[in-house]
Amino acid sequence: MDNVIKHIACIFDLDGVLVDTAVYHYQAWKQLANTLGFDFTHAQNEQLKGVNRMRSLDMILSWGGIEKTAEEKEELANLKNSWYVAMISKMTTDEVLPGSLKLLQDLKVAGAKIALGSASKNSALILERTELAHFFDAIVDGNAVSTSKPDPEVFLKAAELLGAKNTTCVVFEDALAGVQAAIAGEMKVVGVGEAENLPGANVWVKNLSEINVAEISALIN
Ligand code: BG6
Ligand code: MG
């Protein structure tokens, strides 16, 4: 099995998979919407997961029936990000989600290649605060891509940096847009969350404590 896992590349989404930041994104967007005089539902928030900052803002403004100029949108996105950064700046290693640390350690010991495939432009700060940066052989985040999930660009770039064929990659995702991106990239997907929210994944787990190296390896072979 060890030999097999060496030929597997694991690509992890960050927010909501490795760390508990999805809740901070929600709080900051909600605060912004409330400031503009409206609110959005949990179901709508689900649609924002995995989606980059400007596209998220466009979706939220459309829910509120609000139109803004490009310049105003830039200001609103910056405002939301300033609130969000204030929250993640205080993060600790306690906010690494259950099972994430052990799985990364086990994959490392087994010799798997590991990449980050995240839409976030704040990944460096989060990885630093949570002390996870050293696990990654490659990091592809929102600063490195020009399209948003469900486009597969972020995962294809990660595979390329790892020197891995896309068909030997396993993606770990909590967002529907991310699952769709992995499928578009012809990769296997572990859905982190409910099957009904993440159709198309190969397997679903509540968190990464529910999957191990042998089960990941079995997805590819
Ligand atoms: C994704 C989150 O990981 O990153 C989205 O799921 C978020 O909710 C996106 O909008 C971009 O994040 P950031 O940190 O660049 O605003
Ligand atoms: Mg996510």
Side-chain angles (χ1 to χ4, degrees), residues 200-212:
N202 299 94
V203 61
W204 296 270
V205 295
K206 214 163 49 202
N207 57 51
L208 297 182
S209 71
E210 292 183 354
I211 193 157
N212 60 33

Side-chain angles (χ1 to χ4, degrees), residues 130-173:
T130 53
E131 298 176 12
L132 293 178
H134 63 99
F135 285 108
F136 296 94
D137 302 303
I139 290 181
V140 183
D141 70 6
N143 299 297
V145 293
S146 53
T147 57
S148 188
K149 300 169 187 177
D151 190 285
E153 181 187 8
V154 63
F155 296 140
L156 294 176
K157 275 207 167 146
E160 193 186 325
L161 284 176
L162 292 178
K165 274 201 346 219
N166 50 350
T167 48
T168 63
C169 293
V170 179
V171 169
F172 298 79
E173 257 296 348

Side-chain angles (χ1 to χ4, degrees), residues 13-19 21-22 49-50 118 149 172-175:
D13 173 51
L14 178 63
D15 298 316
V17 169
L18 295 175
V19 294
T21 41
K49 289 187 178 174
S118 166
K149 300 169 187 177
F172 298 79
E173 257 296 348
D174 71 316

